[in-house]
Amino acid sequence: MHERERHRIILSAIQEKPVVTVQDIAELTEASEATIRRDIAALHVQGKLRRVRGGAEAVHPPQQGNLAARPFRVSESVNIDKKRAIARAAVELCEEGDSVIINGGTTTFQMVHFMSARRLQVMTNSFAIAEHLVKHSKCTVSVPGGAIYRDQSLILSPFENDAIRNFYARRMFIGAQGISSHGVMEPDALVIQSEQRLMRQADELIVMVDSSKFNRRSSMILCPLENVSTIITDDGVSEEAVAMLEDAGVKVLTVKPTASSAKEDASSVA
């Protein structure tokens, strides 16, 4: 990952919580801890953050009361080649004219690059996905009512009486914080509430996660594996994880990411 991208991720991450550790940032960027310490030192000198023991903090502390879900900008560049390959496979499952629900997330967002020539009916609670499809596709786009959470680029509402209950979809596509034998995991109760309401409006649930998500856990379960029809992941997924999914009756699609094709796709939609 380029230094500029790492710096952007670091500056976004420190808005998520009061102090971010070197280990946290190294996991996000897949860079060494030594590299992250140098990045933090450089940003400290520039006055963009404060270096603290073991990590960094924001010059202006983040506001409290935000969602537990990681900010969109923090995750956007992480494992981008894997996310884009997964997204391509997801869009290939869609037929012209299909009604689909796409939940907000950085993996699901990558679907927009392969939907530009499609005519789909899309319901999404992602402000970023809705904005891109309106500008760059022929899709019909619907969004639920609710508040916009800027950091996560999500539109969420705790109320039942919005546009969600009037939309029916053949498939729903979602990302996840983690996958385990307990099910699909997410970190925030309001996000889970929104996703569960959307899930009730679709015949099939397609989960899109890169292989690193099988090593992550969260405190909350969105749904058991038995509710998932298909999981799309990259070829770095372990045999044990695939066996776990198949034992639960989940169809597993694996894709092979190529960094070169991701760059080409990015330039084609820029």
Side-chain angles (χ1 to χ4, degrees), residues 23-205:
Q23 293 87 345
D24 288 339
I25 301 169
E27 178 185 345
L28 282 172
T29 60
E30 297 184 336
S32 69
E33 293 187 9
T35 297
I36 297 306
R37 289 191 183 93
R38 288 194 295 271
D39 288 339
I40 290 173
L43 292 168
H44 175 82
V45 170
Q46 296 170 28
K48 295 181 178 179
L49 54 70
R50 292 193 185 97
R51 182 172 53 183
V52 298
R53 184 177 179 85
E57 66 179 7
V59 175
H60 303 289
Q63 296 180 350
Q64 300 302 311
N66 291 332
L67 295 176
R70 182 179 291 168
F72 187 88
R73 291 177 299 168
V74 172
S75 300
E76 189 175 8
S77 299
V78 179
N79 292 327
I80 184 64
D81 56 332
K82 296 177 181 178
K83 292 176 179 178
R84 189 154 296 196
I86 290 167
R88 183 196 295 271
V91 175
E92 288 175 354
L93 295 177
C94 302
E95 298 179 5
E96 197 73 3
D98 271 356
S99 294
V100 298
I101 297 172
I102 306 177
N103 200 58
T106 55
T107 303
T108 52
F109 176 77
Q110 294 302 318
M111 293 176 69
V112 302
H113 303 308
F114 308 104
M115 295 170 66
S116 58
R118 297 292 189 102
R119 293 185 183 272
L120 304 174
Q121 299 179 62
V122 180
M123 162 69 76
T124 181
N125 66 354
S126 166
F127 185 79
I129 290 174
E131 182 180 36
H132 193 284
L133 290 179
V134 167
K135 291 181 178 178
H136 305 292
S137 82
K138 301 176 182 178
C139 297
T140 300
V141 182
S142 300
V143 296
I148 297 175
Y149 288 78
R150 290 180 177 85
D151 286 348
Q152 290 78 20
S153 193
L154 289 176
I155 305 168
L156 300 179
S157 170
F159 306 112
E160 292 284 343
N161 57 338
D162 62 17
I164 290 175
R165 64 180 181 178
N166 298 317
F167 191 90
Y168 160 79
R170 182 180 179 186
R171 296 184 177 92
M172 177 174 174
F173 297 90
I174 68 169
Q177 179 73 18
I179 301 288
S180 77
S181 58
H182 297 293
V184 181
M185 297 180 173
E186 283 291 353
D188 190 274
L190 185 57
V191 172
I192 285 178
Q193 183 181 29
S194 172
E195 289 184 345
Q196 288 176 340
R197 288 169 56 218
L198 287 164
M199 286 162 54
R200 294 198 292 266
Q201 304 301 118
D203 287 340
E204 297 180 37
L205 180 62

